[in-house]
Amino acid sequence: MLLQVILEGIGLGVLLILVCAIGIRKGTVGMVHLYSPAVQQRCVKLGLTSPERIRRNSLLFKAVCVPGYISYVLVCVYGINGARSFAAGFWQLLVILSVMNLIDRFLIDGYWVGHTDAWTIPGTEDLKPYITAKNKQKKWLFGTVGMAVIAMVLAAMMTIFTH
């Protein structure tokens, strides 16, 4: 069961990578809402985007991704794996979300954004690294504590709804 749950976490990580790839397919400015305010402001100043477009893309990203990721984990844990108790749901949710978080931190942030030019926005190179040490600390904190909280809340909700 553990291997299956890890594979489901890898699947969620692959979904995240696909969302990012789709988001930057017409240029990285389409995903500038994920960058720091300084990069966003520079993009607006350079005429690459507008505050309204950044806000719209951010809302669209959240409206599609958050429900999609939640649906994915709930289908995996409760639909496919058949979890029925809080404990069974919690550990599976936590593993899936943690695997996705590791993929995000190491493969996306660490390698793709940090060591390739795929996420470089022309005219903002002087603002690199796009993900600063302080940003990394926040992402690691949310990725560990935040994923545990999300797993706990989802498991509690599903325990209530399935009993």
Side-chain angles (χ1 to χ4, degrees):
M1 175 62 81
L2 179 59
L3 179 59
Q4 179 173 333
V5 175
I6 290 169
L7 290 173
E8 291 164 346
I10 291 170
L12 185 59
V14 169
L15 283 176
L16 178 61
I17 291 169
L18 287 173
V19 165
C20 291
I22 290 167
I24 66 169
R25 76 189 182 286
K26 295 180 183 175
T28 50
V29 175
M31 296 288 273
V32 77
H33 62 274
L34 298 176
Y35 291 69
S36 70
V39 176
Q40 293 176 23
Q41 291 166 1
R42 177 76 60 83
C43 289
V44 170
K45 182 179 175 184
L46 292 171
L48 301 173
T49 191
S50 67
E52 296 78 24
R53 183 171 286 161
I54 294 171
R55 196 169 18 265
R56 187 183 79 235
N57 287 348
S58 177
L59 289 173
L60 180 63
F61 182 79
K62 291 172 187 168
V64 171
C65 293
V66 172
Y69 297 156
I70 290 172
S71 298
Y72 176 92
V73 296
L74 292 178
V75 166
C76 288
V77 172
Y78 296 94
I80 297 170
N81 302 347
R84 293 294 171 254
S85 68
F86 173 83
F90 174 74
W91 83 259
Q92 291 180 47
L93 290 164
L94 183 59
V95 169
I96 292 169
L97 293 170
S98 295
V99 169
M100 187 261 323
N101 182 54
L102 290 172
I103 290 169
D104 192 12
R105 295 292 76 77
F106 288 115
L107 293 179
I108 297 173
D109 291 348
Y111 177 72
W112 199 12
V113 177
H115 290 91
T116 73
D117 290 330
W119 288 82
T120 300
I121 300 174
T124 66
E125 293 89 351
D126 62 308
L127 299 174
K128 284 184 170 186
Y130 292 129
I131 304 171
T132 64
K134 187 177 180 179
N135 295 128
K136 287 179 185 178
Q137 288 175 337
K138 288 179 187 177
K139 287 178 171 225
W140 276 107
L141 178 63
F142 178 76
T144 51
V145 176
M147 295 303 176
V149 170
I150 291 168
M152 186 172 46
V153 169
L154 290 175
M157 288 174 38
M158 290 306 293
T159 301
I160 291 168
F161 293 131
T162 59
H163 285 84

